Amino acid sequence: MDNRTNLDDYLAGLGIAGADETEAPPPAPEVAAGPALVPDPDEDPRAVLDRFLTGLAARIDPGLSVSVREGEGALEVEITGENAARLAGRDGRTLGAIEVLAYTVLAKQAGRTDLRVRVDVGGFRKRQADTLTRLAERLAVQVAKSGEPHELQPMPAADRRVLHIALKEHPDVTTESVGEGSARRLIIKPRSYGA
């Protein structure tokens, strides 16, 4: 990771100038010589994703490496390296932003909107899924004992999915997502609740 603390210096190093500058910086050599973003449905989506994320990782930290594999209805990416875990950002927000960018590039360059993109750095997603699974199990016991539903705070779809899957086969509780957009949250209810 770059140790510069001044955001303007960091952005300038990436070829991004501040809005108050009168002269635009020259484009980065890779961008100037690169092909135009024309969708090519015949191009392998893994290659598109690998090329984009390898370039992104190299600009952030040359010590990072990227591997892309095909999973269940998604392309799964693992970014590894000495400082990879720092790339997750606070509460995985940076990682989420990288996933959005990767999905957008995949849609624009390969014309694939049917594939999800899951990115993990330094095992962050795995640790987060394990933590959420343990939380789901503790809350399921609490809900089963009390007989009252428990509503969690709004959370991203990927986190809700982990909880849904963790409790899918639970004999005493069921899960339901409610709300819209960023306010969508999960409710754990006793199976007999409201029946």
Side-chain angles (χ1 to χ4, degrees):
M1 287 274 194
D2 200 310
N3 290 330
R4 287 180 278 194
T5 56
N6 183 326
L7 180 59
D8 291 332
D9 290 344
Y10 182 73
L11 292 175
L14 293 175
I16 302 169
D20 61 344
E21 298 204 16
T22 57
E23 189 177 316
E30 301 84 26
V31 174
L37 287 177
V38 177
D40 181 2
D42 296 329
E43 190 168 11
D44 180 19
R46 288 182 307 180
V48 170
L49 206 53
D50 185 50
R51 185 173 54 247
F52 169 70
L53 290 172
T54 299
L56 178 67
R59 294 196 109 185
I60 294 171
D61 181 350
L64 297 176
S65 62
V66 174
S67 66
V68 180
R69 68 179 186 83
E70 206 158 335
E72 296 177 31
L75 292 177
E76 297 178 357
V77 180
E78 179 69 28
I79 300 175
T80 56
E82 187 178 335
N83 298 317
R86 292 174 50 194
L87 195 57
R90 184 179 182 152
D91 300 326
R93 290 180 188 163
T94 304
L95 187 54
I98 290 171
E99 283 181 343
V100 169
L101 288 171
Y103 175 80
T104 302
V105 167
L106 189 63
K108 293 280 186 192
Q109 276 204 278
R112 295 294 301 266
T113 58
D114 59 324
L115 284 174
R116 289 188 324 219
V117 176
R118 287 190 292 251
V119 180
D120 196 3
V121 291
F124 176 84
R125 292 275 191 223
K126 171 83 171 101
R127 287 189 307 276
Q128 185 180 31
D130 291 345
T131 300
L132 287 170
T133 299
R134 286 191 303 274
L135 172 68
E137 291 165 358
R138 281 194 315 268
L139 290 174
V141 168
Q142 179 184 350
V143 167
K145 281 183 182 179
S146 72
E148 294 295 319
H150 182 90
E151 186 172 315
L152 284 89
Q153 294 294 317
M155 62 179 62
D159 292 350
R160 289 193 315 274
R161 186 173 187 270
V162 169
L163 294 167
H164 281 301
I165 290 170
L167 298 177
K168 183 179 180 183
E169 302 295 325
H170 197 283
D172 301 323
V173 299
T174 185
T175 59
E176 175 185 7
S177 288
V178 298
E180 297 294 324
S182 62
R184 198 153 170 82
R185 58 206 175 283
L186 186 120
I187 299 175
I188 302 172
K189 305 186 288 192
R191 284 207 183 265
S192 61
Y193 189 78

